[in-house]
Amino acid sequence: MGMTTITTSTDLPALARLLAWLSPAYPTGAFSYSHGLEMAVEEGAVADRAGLVAYAEAALAQGAGAVDGGFLALAWRAAVAGDEAALDGLAELAAAMRGTAELALEATQPGGAFALATNAAWPHPGFARFAARHPGRLTHAVAYGAAAGFHGMPLEPACFGWLAAFAANLVSAGVRLVPLGQTDGQIATAALLPALQAATAAALAATDPEAIGGCAPVIDLFSLRHETQYTRLFRS
């Protein structure tokens, strides 16, 4: 049997922040959103583990993952550079790039909640100023990316972690909605690793905010129909 060697960073305070910010216990309310998945399950488009994995892969490669990953990376870079004008532009553009009202809420409500919790527990004056300039308009990805930059957290694990948390939230919703067993949920999570690695690489390659975009119209349509879904557990 071969042996795998894992090299870890000695920056434990940065790791502590990363784990805290990505924990389901962090009070962002992200657990209450399904990203249109609830409607996809009701209509039979997602009926098993394979369907759930395909839905999450599409969201990562063509949907919110493609959009938010790039904005997260650019927000990190702007925060590190202390470029407040660039951060403000990213915040406004990211908030505008939502296909439906529910997906906009899914991005900005957790973003505002993240900013509140982070300013209280992990304060940084640069992040506090940034958040104060955009009440109700901060997407989760931009808020998190900026906070990670201001706090000096390394970009690649911060970006991968956020995308992994986004995917994990979809898997968690699918486990409840399809429904699937907890083991199936873990198998789905493991199957998403290549998609997460690809989404992270794409995010890190982003250089121009005007070039960031996605194309997942079916997810947008599920989100639109979810607005009038008769029985709902989730807010999107």
Side-chain angles (χ1 to χ4, degrees):
M1 180 179 293
M3 180 178 292
T4 300
T5 301
I6 299 175
T7 301
T8 59
S9 168
T10 57
D11 188 355
L12 295 183
L15 178 60
R17 285 192 292 271
L18 182 65
L19 292 175
W21 294 355
L22 297 173
S23 168
Y26 211 66
T28 64
F31 69 90
S32 62
Y33 298 93
S34 83
H35 205 67
L37 182 62
E38 187 165 22
M39 193 72 219
V41 171
E42 178 164 311
E43 293 191 353
V46 174
D48 53 21
R49 186 180 74 216
L52 175 59
V53 170
Y55 194 94
E57 287 175 337
L60 286 167
Q62 287 95 32
V67 172
D68 285 333
F71 280 118
L72 187 161
L74 292 179
W76 183 94
R77 294 188 178 108
V80 168
D83 191 338
E84 294 190 349
L87 268 177
D88 291 344
L90 290 167
E92 290 303 317
L93 185 56
M97 291 187 65
R98 306 295 145 179
T100 72
E102 285 192 348
L103 294 180
L105 181 66
E106 181 179 325
T108 55
Q109 182 274 315
F114 174 88
L116 284 173
T118 303
N119 278 327
W122 310 87
H124 185 285
F127 181 71
R129 289 194 303 271
F130 172 54
R133 294 196 300 272
H134 301 278
R137 294 284 291 169
L138 274 183
T139 64
H140 191 188
V142 167
Y144 170 92
F150 281 121
H151 282 272
M153 297 167 65
L155 175 56
E156 185 174 22
C159 185
F160 180 88
W162 191 90
L163 289 167
F166 169 71
N169 199 62
L170 277 174
V171 170
S172 177
V175 166
R176 286 173 278 172
L177 290 167
V178 173
L180 298 171
Q182 295 295 328
T183 299
D184 267 334
Q186 292 305 309
I187 294 172
T189 297
L192 287 170
L193 178 57
L196 286 166
Q197 291 173 313
T200 301
L204 297 181
T207 58
D208 180 4
E210 298 293 338
I212 292 175
C215 185
V218 174
I219 291 178
D220 288 348
L221 288 173
F222 283 135
S223 175
L224 284 170
R225 292 203 285 273
H226 185 266
E227 293 176 4
T228 57
Q229 188 171 342
Y230 181 70
T231 301
R232 301 188 299 175
L233 297 175
F234 295 88
R235 300 180 71 183
S236 72

